[in-house]
């Protein structure tokens, strides 16, 4: 059961996940108890739904003041630089992804916050990890700066839990597919772009090759997984790094075929770029048995249900 006394801060609330997660948290905890924050201007969908604060998470003093002033008890840290953007500026990606987490972990320790959520990614895995049903515990040798920062972040989460008792929880999200807020520079964004282009222009040029499989998930499943993980009793959590999380696996060719069922004239061409190498290093599917066993995770959307819902909503947006 969620505690109505919780006061939540979402950092990176205007991003692809942040908008939908903030709205979902406001439904559960009450609009005024969920403070949204971001570097960017407030997202259209958040306007009028609850408090919004402009924040650079890299400024630890400002973050600390905000946490105290708003009596914050839980933080969801979503600010990050994703895989494709990260490869263009590795130093910046490392700096932002690491320092933001350390700032929040330190404040969680100092202010004795009840809980902290920070997402990891399938990007922690690398070319030497098993690519099919990639296990929770296996070879982890990420090749992108994003993946390296996520792996280091997982270790920091476990460290703060073990040494300072911080209740930090984490999921290794697959590529997330959604239509409400635009994606922020990931390798898996191709699938979202394909749905947008299919409804707008009837054609898409994919930067990922046709038979490249990647683990993916529809946003409603990701939001539900996040809230279920955060609401489960602490005694159910056996892992303080980050849980593998699986839903669907598909290739560009497969999602294109699914789109054609709804938009028969849709055509696709392929022109792989630097993101292909990133995709090649990642798993094709994930073993998430531990998440299922510990806190009862079960996805709902398959490729067909996800594509149908995406296209229906994108058509409504036009
Ligand atoms: P996003 O890029 O869409 O959103 C991130 C938000 O953080 C943006 O609104 C950005 O303005 C904000 N931000 C950046 N720097 C900031 C700063 N210094 N201070 C405050 N805000 C700042 O990313 P997303 O897709 O919503 O991802 C959220 C988290 O989930 C990230 O940690 C990401 O690595 C992780 N994740 C996402 C996916 C996915 O497919 N979207 C998959 C795996 C993991
Ligand atoms: C990306 O492609 O960078 C993200 C992720 C899987 O972490 N979507």
């Amino acid at each position: 059961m969620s505690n109505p006394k919780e006061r939540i801060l979402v950092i990176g609330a205007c991003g692809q996940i942040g908008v939908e997660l903030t709205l979902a948290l406001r439904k559960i905890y009450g609009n005024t108890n969920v403070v949204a924050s971001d570097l960017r201007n407030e997202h259209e969908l958040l306007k009028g739904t609850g408090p919004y604060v402009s924040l650079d998470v890299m400024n630890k003093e400002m973050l600390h003041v905000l946490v105290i002033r708003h009596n914050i008890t839980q933080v969801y840290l979503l600010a990050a630089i994703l895989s494709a953007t990260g490869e263009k500026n590795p130093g910046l990606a490392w700096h932002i992804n690491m320092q933001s987490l350390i700032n929040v972990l330190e404040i969680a320790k100092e202010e004795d916050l009840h809980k902290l959520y920070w997402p990891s990614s399938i990007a922690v895995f690398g070319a030497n990890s098993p690519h099919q049903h990639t296990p929770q515990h296996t070879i982890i040798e990420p090749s992108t700066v994003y993946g390296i920062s996520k792996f280091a972040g997982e270790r920091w989460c476990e460290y703060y839990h073990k040494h300072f008792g911080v209740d930090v929880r984490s999921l290794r999200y697959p590529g997330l597919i959604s239509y409400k807020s635009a994606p922020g520079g990931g390798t898996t964004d191709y699938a979202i772009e394909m749905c947008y282009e299919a409804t707008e222009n009837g054609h898409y040029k994919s930067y990922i090759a046709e038979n490249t499989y990647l683990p993916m998930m529809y946003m409603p499943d990701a939001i539900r997984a996040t809230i279920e993980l955060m609401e489960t009793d602490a005694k159910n959590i056996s892992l303080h790094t980050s849980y593998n999380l699986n839903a669907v696996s598909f290739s560009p060719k497969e999602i294109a075929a699914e789109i054609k069922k709804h938009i028969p004239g849709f055509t696709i061409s392929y022109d792989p770029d630097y993101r292909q190498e990133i995709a090649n290093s990642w798993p094709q599917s994930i073993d998430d048995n531990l998440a299922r066993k510990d806190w009862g995770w079960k996805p709902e959307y398959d490729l067909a249900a996800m594509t149908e819902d995406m296209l229906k909503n994108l058509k409504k947006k036009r």
Side-chain angles (χ1 to χ4, degrees), residues 8-41:
I8 297 175
L9 174 65
V10 182
I11 303 171
C14 296
Q16 191 198 354
I17 301 171
V19 170
E20 298 202 40
L21 188 57
T22 301
L23 293 173
L25 290 169
R26 283 180 173 162
K27 269 201 184 137
I28 298 171
Y29 293 92
N31 287 354
T32 53
N33 292 322
V34 180
V35 180
S37 73
D38 203 294
L39 266 185
R40 298 195 230 176
N41 291 334

Side-chain angles (χ1 to χ4, degrees), residues 65-306:
V65 168
L66 182 67
V67 164
I68 293 170
R69 188 175 291 158
H70 288 266
N71 296 316
I72 296 299
T73 60
Q74 296 188 19
V75 172
Y76 287 70
L77 171 59
L78 303 172
I81 295 190
L82 279 79
S83 60
T85 309
E87 290 311 288
K88 291 188 175 148
N89 196 339
L92 184 71
W94 174 256
H95 183 53
I96 303 258
N97 293 358
M98 284 291 88
Q99 198 56 50
S100 59
L101 178 59
I102 298 292
N103 285 354
V104 175
L105 283 167
E106 272 296 298
I107 290 169
K109 179 183 84 170
E110 289 163 21
E111 296 303 325
D112 213 7
L113 296 186
H114 297 170
K115 284 179 210 168
L116 165 60
Y117 179 75
W118 170 83
S120 183
S121 161
I122 54 158
V124 293
F125 299 111
N128 294 328
S129 311
H131 282 243
Q132 304 288 347
H133 306 293
T134 309
Q136 178 72 50
H137 300 288
T138 184
I139 297 167
I140 295 200
E141 295 172 356
S143 55
T144 60
V145 66
Y146 174 68
I148 298 170
S149 73
K150 288 297 184 190
F151 184 44
E154 290 185 3
R155 306 308 305 164
W156 276 118
C157 288
E158 190 184 54
Y159 188 93
Y160 271 74
H161 176 262
K162 186 172 168 204
H163 293 281
F164 309 118
V166 175
D167 185 355
V168 47
R169 305 180 183 193
S170 178
L171 297 171
R172 288 174 177 161
Y173 290 132
L176 301 182
I177 312 297
S178 69
Y179 60 88
K180 290 190 184 165
S181 178
T187 303
T188 57
D189 295 0
Y190 88 82
I192 305 174
E193 286 177 10
M194 196 189 297
C195 292
Y196 271 89
E197 291 291 319
T199 52
E200 280 164 21
N201 307 315
H203 178 77
Y204 180 63
K205 185 162 84 173
S206 174
Y207 58 80
I208 297 293
E210 61 183 333
N211 290 319
T212 307
Y213 281 80
L214 286 168
M216 301 278 198
M217 179 177 282
Y218 198 33
M219 191 61 88
D221 270 343
I223 300 297
R224 189 170 53 78
T226 309
I227 290 171
E228 284 177 9
L229 173 75
M230 287 299 275
E231 297 219 324
T232 198
D233 200 289
K235 70 175 181 346
N236 297 331
I237 311 252
S238 68
L239 188 75
H240 294 280
T241 51
S242 190
Y243 281 97
N244 276 9
L245 196 67
N246 194 49
V248 287
S249 267
F250 57 79
S251 62
K253 189 174 166 185
E254 279 186 357
I255 186 171
E258 204 55 48
I259 290 173
K260 272 190 198 189
K261 291 181 188 166
H262 303 273
I263 306 174
F266 173 62
T267 55
I268 181 157
S269 58
Y270 298 92
D271 186 14
D273 65 13
Y274 72 101
R275 290 169 282 193
Q276 181 65 40
E277 198 182 328
I278 301 177
N280 289 344
S281 76
W282 286 356
Q284 297 181 359
S285 61
I286 297 286
D287 175 344
D288 63 358
N289 272 320
L290 194 62
R292 289 171 190 252
K293 179 173 146 289
D294 279 6
W295 45 278
W297 166 242
K298 197 167 180 276
E300 280 175 5
Y301 283 85
D302 60 13
L303 174 60
M306 179 194 85

